[in-house]
Amino acid sequence: MGSKKRSTKSETEVLEGQTDLATDDTISVPSGKKIKMRNKNDAEMGDGVASSSSVADSVKPMERKKKRKLIDKERRRSVLENVEPQPKQPVVESKGDDAPEPVASSSSSCLPEFHISVFKDLASADSSVREAAVETMVTELQEVQEAYGRLENKDLVEGGLKLEAQKDDGLDNCASSLRYAVRRLIRGVSSSRECVRQGFALGLTALVATISSIKVDSLLKLIVNLLEVSSSMKGQEVRDCLLGRLFAYGAIARSDRLSKEWFSDKDTNIIKEFMSALISLASKKRYLQEPSVSIILEIVEKLPAEALLGHILEAPGIPQWFEEAVDVGNPDALLLALKIHEKTSIDSKFSKLLPNPFSPGKLFSADYLSSISNCLKESTFCQPRVHSLWTVLVNILLPDTVLQAEDAASASNSLKKHKKGRKSSSSEEEIANNVQSFCDVVIERSLLLSSHDRKHLAFDILLLLLPRLPSSFIPIVLSSKVVQCLMDILSTKDSWLYKVAQHFLKELLDWVRNDDVRRVAVIVAFQKHSSGKFDGITKTKTVKDLMAEFKTETGCMLFVQNLINLFLDEGHASDEPSDQSQTTDENSEIGSIEDKDSVGIVGNADFLKGWVIESVPSVLKHLKLDLEEKFRVQREILKFLSVQGLFSASLGNEVTSFELQEKFRWPKATTSTALCKMCIEQLQSLLASAQKVEEPRSLANALEPNDLGSYFMRFFSTLRNIPSVSLFRTLSDEDKQSVTKLLEMESKLYKEERNCRLGNDANKLHALRYLLILLLLQVLLRPGEFCDAASELIICCKKAFAASDDPDSSGEDESNGDAAPELMDVLVDTLLSLLPQSSAPMRSAIEQVFRYFCGDVTDDGLLRMLRIIKKDLKPARHQDAGSEDDDDDDDDLLGIEEDEDIDEAETGETADSDEQSEDSEAVVGGEGDDKDLPEDSDESDGGMDDDAMFRMDTYLAQIFKEKKNQAGGETAQSQLVLFKLRVLSLLEIYLHENRGKPQVLTVYSHLAQAFVNPHTTEGSEQLEQRIWGIIQRKVFKEKKLPKDESVPLSTLESLLEKNLKLASKPFKRKKSASSLSKKKLTASLNRHKMVVSLAQNSTYWILKIIEARNISDAELEGVFGLLQAILEGYLESKKSQVKSGFLKEIFKRNPRIGHQLFGFLLENCGNAKSDFRRVEALDLVIEVLKSQVPMNCNESNREAVKKFLKSHLQSLGQLIATLVTKMPEKKSRKTEVHKCCDKIFQMITSLDLTKTFLKCLGPDALSACESQLGPVFLKLKNLK
């Protein structure tokens, strides 16, 4: 009885376990077999239930469960009474991993076995394992079901488990194993553990698709019953059950059973029931709507239009769903409606959700998009994923058929500057209108003006558009509001959307990376809507990097043309040409001049145009094209800058020239003077860069096809002669005459250059031509300031290259001997007069001319340049009379008294030098800066402005004096520093081109004077460093030395004397030094060190020049005397600042000097005033001995070396005697004495002069050596 009760209780639990897998301990089969399974093993099989208590509640309510238990007990008793007793089968218990695989078998093995371990594999994270498990499960269950179907008495086989089929689950014709598997799979899809839901859903799909005995209607009921949500469930449990239903419905949809049901019976209600259940599920939670619709769409794809009309659209809940979608904002209903309409073309079944009749134009109309804006806004719930609705809308908005042809034609059409409006097809126009409406209503007015999530969605939608977007639509998509929103986000790194904007920008840049047309459109959109400030606002280099990626001529021309259109603001202008622009001399007007609404708009417009002006030439910076291609790009840029910067149309804004066969346009609004000046400056830079590329010239005796300067002058002359075109500003008669003369002279020089062979003359002509061209632009840029310089330069050109048929040059300069010096003096004066006011391109042209003419510069011209460097403009009120004596000493050392134009009484040092230095550096900035003059310098109403004050002529000193008396003397001082820097550039060129000539000494002398005088550099560290660098690179390190005998030895001796004095000059602290800051004292000390270093290097260089001339010792007595005096002062005066390293380097570099001064050194070394100097002097002795008495001398030199050392043995003995008798007390110095004596003893020993040397030592000296030197001397003594 006890065993029977336990058996009955166990079987009852099994039956109950079919309803609740969490409490399964055994799985019963019809024959009475039972397989005991632990709860742990059951969980591993992936039944998907977290705990027994929670899942028991989640399956069925408690009341229903109790009633079913009672009913099952009664039914089971009645069945067992009619069944014959079966022999008991052993119970297989699962005990660990080595246990045999559990199987479900039928009575008497009449049905195939089903291995339930496949459920464990269905939960595997490996997709291949899951697929194999599904295949195994379906195969086994199919065999079981087929065997079950062949049985005649199915009730006998079912046995006790027949009761399980009577639970109103509808699986009457299914074997018990199949029923168990179905119920197990349905429960499994509700599990959130690992990949259980995916694997079980796949198994359910395959099982329903393969075994037709599983009825779909029964399955729908079973899903609701097994995954019913009760009021006692918590949030996660409810979510699991709802998702389980979703996956179960998805499995039915993917099994194709619904379509098969319809094809077998078109009146079936199963599709409507399925749709009703799915819509009911979708209405429970928001996150279930989109996946539910995706399941419906799978069915829609598999059913014909007839089935959609009768079974999908008429399903319970669908019409109401469509009707409420617009009001509640249901994007999933809109997605379903669009997809069904795509297949059925029905317009009347979707209420207000779709336009009726439907068309893309109506779908993307502003009114309709506004009506469904709620649906579109609510699609943000699935972020960060983009809702499927947007992909469908994008596909309708941008069909593939139009876009490829659109992009193919965009590049070529963009390059046609004066084309008629291209007739686009109606479909293209409709698509453009649709995109415009979509971006305006959806992106700009709905999403960008809403929350952060919707802004995020807006950028995601734009990324969806990119792959299909033609280049011509980029201005529509990257509208003002989009660009402004992007800039606002990128300007603040703490913004919540910062990474979103960064991602969008990265994807956009990747999209345009290899397409010039797209790149141009994006650059223009960014800059147009940011007024040229995109990079500045976003703190990125986006536009700059995009501009650097143009590599082809086509891309550059496209970019240039688009920038020109942006400058002209042709976006809203008609593309059709005017009928009035058909003559060469007249122009036509398109529209009227439109005034801007506010000052701010005008300012932004000018800023944008300014960016265009600067960017057009910059496209050439990273360009690597051949000369022909690059010239074509340069020519287009030159024409734009010339037309917009130099000219204006007097009768409208358009002129057509038949001579040039081009049409020229100007903006409707008058271009400001500031923009015209920017154009001229960029034009100068373009011509200067072209000149550098053209040199050295490669063609001779032929027309230069790529001469940009010549092309500009012809172009300028042609436009200037058109009556309806005038210069942008009115010129005075003098300036007009200068422009005319410059044009004529350039033309003459161009003809002369063509007839000249390749060589220095051709280079001179070329450089002069470009200087004339840039000077012409300078006259237009700053009228009234360059007339004199232009006249002087024209005279220089006439004299330098006077043509035989030139009547103006005949009879001039009869004396050829005086012509050349006079010409070069005038040319130098002219170049110097141009330097102060010139821009960087102008200075480049001046330097090119000077490079080719500097070989003919006279000494007067050179001195004129050097005097500018030495000029002192420090106001007298800043001078410190107490410092004059010290500074005059420095000045006299390098001969500043030779400067005729400088008042030495004004030289002095003040405590304000640091402040002045900072001011000068602030003004100078960078020497190559185009804007190194004040911006308002040319707007002075009268008198001479700062720039005009620095025109270098014969009254230079007087002009500076007048400038000092005027207001703004500090500005004059800073401008003089800038002027000196520019003259230094010319002097550096001069030194490079005249290497090894005597004039190098002249330049060196004056530059050294300028460096030593603290007021010459005006406290500018940049000026000091520049002078220092030129002397180091072009003088001291130059291999070619000025060996010419024209420089007398007395001059070199004078320079040597001054540098030796300067090298030994001590650093003097002034009385007021205590009041100076530590910074100023440090700066003063550092400057003193640099001056001393300059003097030392100058000494080495001068001695090197002297040594290179091979002058006899007798002639060098003066040089030896100078060095001997310095050496004497070093040994006898404690105040001497000469460093032993300096003297040692002199002896090392000049052995002849050491040879001559060795005796004097030995005699005076022992008499030094201090132990420190005596010990230091020993290094000098050893250095001379190294050069004169080498340790391994040849036999041929041995006698001469021996003779030299023998002649100085007596002095050496006296020196050593003095050293040992006056041995220093300091240990380090005593060590130095020992080392020196040891080296001397080795040299004496090597030449066999030991005995002679010992004789030179007296008895006292010998004993002193033995006591002080010890083993060192004893070793020498033992060798005698």
Short mmCIF file of all heavy atoms in Angstrom, two decimals, residues 369-410:
data_model
loop_
_atom_site.label_atom_id
_atom_site.label_comp_id
_atom_site.label_asym_id
_atom_site.label_seq_id
_atom_site.Cartn_x
_atom_site.Cartn_y
_atom_site.Cartn_z
N LEU A 369 2.85 65.65 -43.97
CA LEU A 369 3.92 65.40 -43.00
C LEU A 369 3.62 66.06 -41.66
O LEU A 369 3.94 65.51 -40.60
CB LEU A 369 5.26 65.91 -43.56
CG LEU A 369 5.84 65.12 -44.74
CD1 LEU A 369 7.10 65.79 -45.27
CD2 LEU A 369 6.15 63.68 -44.35
N SER A 370 2.99 67.23 -41.70
CA SER A 370 2.62 67.89 -40.45
C SER A 370 1.55 67.09 -39.70
O SER A 370 1.56 67.02 -38.47
CB SER A 370 2.09 69.30 -40.73
OG SER A 370 3.09 70.09 -41.35
N SER A 371 0.65 66.45 -40.46
CA SER A 371 -0.42 65.69 -39.82
C SER A 371 0.08 64.42 -39.14
O SER A 371 -0.48 63.97 -38.15
CB SER A 371 -1.50 65.32 -40.86
OG SER A 371 -1.00 64.40 -41.80
N ILE A 372 1.14 63.81 -39.67
CA ILE A 372 1.66 62.58 -39.07
C ILE A 372 2.90 62.86 -38.23
O ILE A 372 3.66 61.94 -37.92
CB ILE A 372 1.98 61.53 -40.15
CG1 ILE A 372 3.09 62.03 -41.08
CG2 ILE A 372 0.74 61.16 -40.93
CD1 ILE A 372 3.64 60.96 -41.99
N SER A 373 3.14 64.12 -37.89
CA SER A 373 4.35 64.46 -37.14
C SER A 373 4.41 63.73 -35.81
O SER A 373 5.48 63.37 -35.33
CB SER A 373 4.44 65.96 -36.93
OG SER A 373 3.31 66.43 -36.20
N ASN A 374 3.23 63.49 -35.17
CA ASN A 374 3.23 62.77 -33.91
C ASN A 374 3.76 61.35 -34.08
O ASN A 374 4.50 60.83 -33.24
CB ASN A 374 1.83 62.72 -33.31
CG ASN A 374 1.43 64.05 -32.71
OD1 ASN A 374 2.28 64.85 -32.36
ND2 ASN A 374 0.13 64.29 -32.60
N CYS A 375 3.33 60.70 -35.16
CA CYS A 375 3.82 59.34 -35.42
C CYS A 375 5.34 59.33 -35.59
O CYS A 375 6.04 58.44 -35.11
CB CYS A 375 3.16 58.77 -36.68
SG CYS A 375 1.38 58.55 -36.55
N LEU A 376 5.84 60.34 -36.30
CA LEU A 376 7.28 60.39 -36.56
C LEU A 376 8.06 60.72 -35.30
O LEU A 376 9.14 60.14 -35.05
CB LEU A 376 7.56 61.44 -37.64
CG LEU A 376 6.84 61.22 -38.98
CD1 LEU A 376 7.17 62.33 -39.95
CD2 LEU A 376 7.23 59.87 -39.58
N LYS A 377 7.54 61.62 -34.48
CA LYS A 377 8.25 61.98 -33.26
C LYS A 377 8.32 60.82 -32.28
O LYS A 377 9.33 60.63 -31.60
CB LYS A 377 7.55 63.16 -32.58
CG LYS A 377 7.70 64.49 -33.30
CD LYS A 377 6.95 65.58 -32.55
CE LYS A 377 7.05 66.92 -33.24
NZ LYS A 377 6.28 67.97 -32.53
N GLU A 378 7.24 60.03 -32.20
CA GLU A 378 7.20 58.94 -31.23
C GLU A 378 8.08 57.77 -31.60
O GLU A 378 8.20 56.81 -30.84
CB GLU A 378 5.75 58.46 -31.06
CG GLU A 378 4.82 59.47 -30.41
CD GLU A 378 5.32 59.89 -29.04
OE1 GLU A 378 5.80 59.02 -28.30
OE2 GLU A 378 5.23 61.08 -28.72
N SER A 379 8.70 57.83 -32.75
CA SER A 379 9.58 56.72 -33.15
C SER A 379 10.91 56.74 -32.41
O SER A 379 11.75 55.87 -32.61
CB SER A 379 9.85 56.79 -34.66
OG SER A 379 10.57 57.97 -34.99
N THR A 380 11.09 57.74 -31.54
CA THR A 380 12.35 57.81 -30.79
C THR A 380 12.41 56.83 -29.63
O THR A 380 13.45 56.71 -29.00
CB THR A 380 12.53 59.23 -30.21
OG1 THR A 380 11.37 59.58 -29.44
CG2 THR A 380 12.69 60.25 -31.33
N PHE A 381 11.31 56.11 -29.35
CA PHE A 381 11.30 55.23 -28.17
C PHE A 381 12.31 54.09 -28.30
O PHE A 381 12.72 53.51 -27.30
CB PHE A 381 9.89 54.65 -27.94
CG PHE A 381 9.49 53.60 -28.93
CD1 PHE A 381 9.81 52.27 -28.73
CD2 PHE A 381 8.80 53.94 -30.09
CE1 PHE A 381 9.44 51.30 -29.64
CE2 PHE A 381 8.45 52.97 -31.00
CZ PHE A 381 8.76 51.65 -30.79
N CYS A 382 12.70 53.75 -29.52
CA CYS A 382 13.59 52.60 -29.71
C CYS A 382 15.06 53.00 -29.82
O CYS A 382 15.89 52.21 -30.23
CB CYS A 382 13.17 51.82 -30.95
SG CYS A 382 13.23 52.77 -32.48
N GLN A 383 15.40 54.24 -29.46
CA GLN A 383 16.80 54.65 -29.52
C GLN A 383 17.66 53.81 -28.59
O GLN A 383 17.17 53.31 -27.57
CB GLN A 383 16.92 56.13 -29.13
CG GLN A 383 16.62 57.06 -30.28
CD GLN A 383 16.99 58.50 -29.94
OE1 GLN A 383 17.24 58.85 -28.80
NE2 GLN A 383 17.01 59.35 -30.94
N PRO A 384 18.94 53.61 -28.94
CA PRO A 384 19.69 54.23 -30.03
C PRO A 384 19.46 53.62 -31.41
O PRO A 384 20.02 54.09 -32.39
CB PRO A 384 21.14 54.05 -29.60
CG PRO A 384 21.13 52.78 -28.82
CD PRO A 384 19.81 52.77 -28.09
N ARG A 385 18.63 52.57 -31.48
CA ARG A 385 18.32 52.00 -32.79
C ARG A 385 17.31 52.90 -33.50
O ARG A 385 16.45 53.50 -32.90
CB ARG A 385 17.74 50.59 -32.60
CG ARG A 385 17.53 49.83 -33.88
CD ARG A 385 17.03 48.42 -33.55
NE ARG A 385 15.85 48.48 -32.70
CZ ARG A 385 14.62 48.68 -33.17
NH1 ARG A 385 14.42 48.87 -34.47
NH2 ARG A 385 13.59 48.70 -32.36
N VAL A 386 17.45 52.98 -34.83
CA VAL A 386 16.54 53.78 -35.64
C VAL A 386 15.34 52.93 -36.03
O VAL A 386 15.50 51.79 -36.47
CB VAL A 386 17.25 54.33 -36.89
CG1 VAL A 386 16.30 55.17 -37.73
CG2 VAL A 386 18.46 55.15 -36.49
N HIS A 387 14.16 53.46 -35.88
CA HIS A 387 12.93 52.73 -36.18
C HIS A 387 12.89 52.34 -37.66
O HIS A 387 13.35 53.07 -38.54
CB HIS A 387 11.71 53.60 -35.84
CG HIS A 387 10.44 52.83 -35.72
ND1 HIS A 387 9.72 52.42 -36.82
CD2 HIS A 387 9.74 52.41 -34.63
CE1 HIS A 387 8.64 51.76 -36.42
NE2 HIS A 387 8.63 51.74 -35.09
N SER A 388 12.31 51.18 -37.93
CA SER A 388 12.24 50.67 -39.31
C SER A 388 11.44 51.57 -40.22
O SER A 388 11.60 51.53 -41.46
CB SER A 388 11.63 49.27 -39.31
OG SER A 388 12.33 48.42 -38.42
N LEU A 389 10.55 52.37 -39.65
CA LEU A 389 9.74 53.27 -40.46
C LEU A 389 10.60 54.20 -41.31
O LEU A 389 10.27 54.49 -42.47
CB LEU A 389 8.83 54.09 -39.54
CG LEU A 389 8.07 55.26 -40.18
CD1 LEU A 389 7.08 54.74 -41.22
CD2 LEU A 389 7.37 56.09 -39.11
N TRP A 390 11.73 54.67 -40.75
CA TRP A 390 12.54 55.66 -41.45
C TRP A 390 13.22 55.07 -42.67
O TRP A 390 13.40 55.75 -43.68
CB TRP A 390 13.56 56.25 -40.49
CG TRP A 390 12.93 57.03 -39.39
CD1 TRP A 390 12.82 56.67 -38.09
CD2 TRP A 390 12.27 58.29 -39.51
NE1 TRP A 390 12.14 57.62 -37.37
CE2 TRP A 390 11.79 58.65 -38.23
CE3 TRP A 390 12.03 59.16 -40.57
CZ2 TRP A 390 11.11 59.82 -37.98
CZ3 TRP A 390 11.35 60.34 -40.33
CH2 TRP A 390 10.89 60.67 -39.06
N THR A 391 13.59 53.81 -42.60
CA THR A 391 14.18 53.17 -43.78
C THR A 391 13.18 53.10 -44.92
O THR A 391 13.52 53.35 -46.09
CB THR A 391 14.67 51.76 -43.42
OG1 THR A 391 15.57 51.84 -42.31
CG2 THR A 391 15.35 51.10 -44.60
N VAL A 392 11.93 52.79 -44.59
CA VAL A 392 10.88 52.73 -45.62
C VAL A 392 10.65 54.12 -46.22
O VAL A 392 10.55 54.28 -47.44
CB VAL A 392 9.58 52.17 -45.01
CG1 VAL A 392 8.46 52.20 -46.04
CG2 VAL A 392 9.80 50.75 -44.50
N LEU A 393 10.58 55.14 -45.36
CA LEU A 393 10.36 56.49 -45.86
C LEU A 393 11.52 56.97 -46.73
O LEU A 393 11.32 57.61 -47.77
CB LEU A 393 10.18 57.45 -44.68
CG LEU A 393 8.85 57.34 -43.91
CD1 LEU A 393 8.87 58.27 -42.71
CD2 LEU A 393 7.67 57.66 -44.82
N VAL A 394 12.73 56.65 -46.34
CA VAL A 394 13.90 57.05 -47.13
C VAL A 394 13.90 56.37 -48.49
O VAL A 394 14.23 56.98 -49.52
CB VAL A 394 15.20 56.75 -46.35
CG1 VAL A 394 16.41 56.88 -47.26
CG2 VAL A 394 15.33 57.68 -45.16
N ASN A 395 13.51 55.11 -48.53
CA ASN A 395 13.45 54.39 -49.81
C ASN A 395 12.42 55.01 -50.74
O ASN A 395 12.62 55.04 -51.96
CB ASN A 395 13.13 52.92 -49.57
CG ASN A 395 14.27 52.18 -48.88
OD1 ASN A 395 15.42 52.63 -48.91
ND2 ASN A 395 13.97 51.07 -48.24
N ILE A 396 11.30 55.46 -50.18
CA ILE A 396 10.29 56.12 -51.01
C ILE A 396 10.76 57.52 -51.41
O ILE A 396 10.55 57.96 -52.55
CB ILE A 396 8.95 56.21 -50.25
CG1 ILE A 396 8.46 54.81 -49.89
CG2 ILE A 396 7.91 56.94 -51.08
CD1 ILE A 396 7.22 54.81 -49.00
N LEU A 397 11.43 58.19 -50.48
CA LEU A 397 11.87 59.57 -50.74
C LEU A 397 12.96 59.63 -51.80
O LEU A 397 12.93 60.51 -52.67
CB LEU A 397 12.39 60.18 -49.43
CG LEU A 397 12.90 61.62 -49.48
CD1 LEU A 397 11.78 62.57 -49.87
CD2 LEU A 397 13.51 62.02 -48.14
N LEU A 398 13.92 58.70 -51.74
CA LEU A 398 15.05 58.71 -52.67
C LEU A 398 15.15 57.37 -53.37
O LEU A 398 15.92 56.49 -52.97
CB LEU A 398 16.35 59.01 -51.92
CG LEU A 398 16.48 60.39 -51.29
CD1 LEU A 398 17.74 60.46 -50.44
CD2 LEU A 398 16.51 61.47 -52.35
N PRO A 399 14.37 57.18 -54.42
CA PRO A 399 14.46 55.92 -55.18
C PRO A 399 15.80 55.83 -55.91
O PRO A 399 16.41 56.83 -56.24
CB PRO A 399 13.29 56.01 -56.16
CG PRO A 399 13.02 57.46 -56.31
CD PRO A 399 13.35 58.09 -54.99
N ASP A 400 16.24 54.62 -56.16
CA ASP A 400 17.55 54.40 -56.78
C ASP A 400 17.60 54.84 -58.24
O ASP A 400 18.66 55.14 -58.75
CB ASP A 400 17.93 52.92 -56.70
CG ASP A 400 18.14 52.48 -55.27
OD1 ASP A 400 18.56 53.34 -54.46
OD2 ASP A 400 17.89 51.31 -54.95
N THR A 401 16.49 54.88 -58.92
CA THR A 401 16.50 55.07 -60.37
C THR A 401 17.01 56.45 -60.79
O THR A 401 17.64 56.60 -61.81
CB THR A 401 15.09 54.88 -60.93
OG1 THR A 401 14.19 55.75 -60.22
CG2 THR A 401 14.65 53.44 -60.76
N VAL A 402 16.76 57.47 -59.96
CA VAL A 402 17.06 58.84 -60.38
C VAL A 402 18.47 59.25 -60.03
O VAL A 402 19.09 60.04 -60.73
CB VAL A 402 16.06 59.80 -59.71
CG1 VAL A 402 16.27 61.23 -60.18
CG2 VAL A 402 14.64 59.34 -59.97
N LEU A 403 19.00 58.68 -58.97
CA LEU A 403 20.13 59.30 -58.32
C LEU A 403 21.46 59.08 -59.02
O LEU A 403 22.31 59.94 -59.02
CB LEU A 403 20.21 58.77 -56.88
CG LEU A 403 18.87 58.89 -56.15
CD1 LEU A 403 19.00 58.36 -54.76
CD2 LEU A 403 18.42 60.34 -56.13
N GLN A 404 21.66 57.95 -59.66
CA GLN A 404 22.94 57.70 -60.31
C GLN A 404 23.14 58.63 -61.50
O GLN A 404 24.22 59.20 -61.68
CB GLN A 404 23.00 56.24 -60.78
CG GLN A 404 23.00 55.26 -59.61
CD GLN A 404 23.04 53.82 -60.08
OE1 GLN A 404 22.97 53.56 -61.28
NE2 GLN A 404 23.15 52.90 -59.15
N ALA A 405 22.11 58.83 -62.27
CA ALA A 405 22.22 59.75 -63.41
C ALA A 405 22.44 61.18 -62.92
O ALA A 405 23.16 61.96 -63.53
CB ALA A 405 20.96 59.67 -64.26
N GLU A 406 21.82 61.51 -61.79
CA GLU A 406 21.96 62.86 -61.24
C GLU A 406 23.41 63.14 -60.86
O GLU A 406 23.96 64.18 -61.18
CB GLU A 406 21.06 62.98 -60.02
CG GLU A 406 21.18 64.29 -59.27
CD GLU A 406 20.54 65.45 -60.02
OE1 GLU A 406 19.75 65.19 -60.94
OE2 GLU A 406 20.85 66.59 -59.68
N ASP A 407 24.06 62.19 -60.18
CA ASP A 407 25.44 62.39 -59.76
C ASP A 407 26.40 62.39 -60.94
O ASP A 407 27.41 63.07 -60.93
CB ASP A 407 25.86 61.29 -58.77
CG ASP A 407 25.61 61.73 -57.34
OD1 ASP A 407 25.42 62.94 -57.13
OD2 ASP A 407 25.60 60.87 -56.46
N ALA A 408 26.10 61.60 -61.96
CA ALA A 408 27.00 61.52 -63.11
C ALA A 408 27.09 62.86 -63.83
O ALA A 408 28.14 63.22 -64.37
CB ALA A 408 26.52 60.45 -64.08
N ALA A 409 26.01 63.61 -63.84
CA ALA A 409 25.99 64.87 -64.57
C ALA A 409 26.37 66.06 -63.72
O ALA A 409 26.64 67.14 -64.24
CB ALA A 409 24.60 65.11 -65.15
N SER A 410 26.44 65.89 -62.39
CA SER A 410 26.62 67.05 -61.51
C SER A 410 27.98 67.69 -61.66
O SER A 410 28.10 68.91 -61.68
CB SER A 410 26.39 66.63 -60.06
OG SER A 410 27.31 65.63 -59.70
#
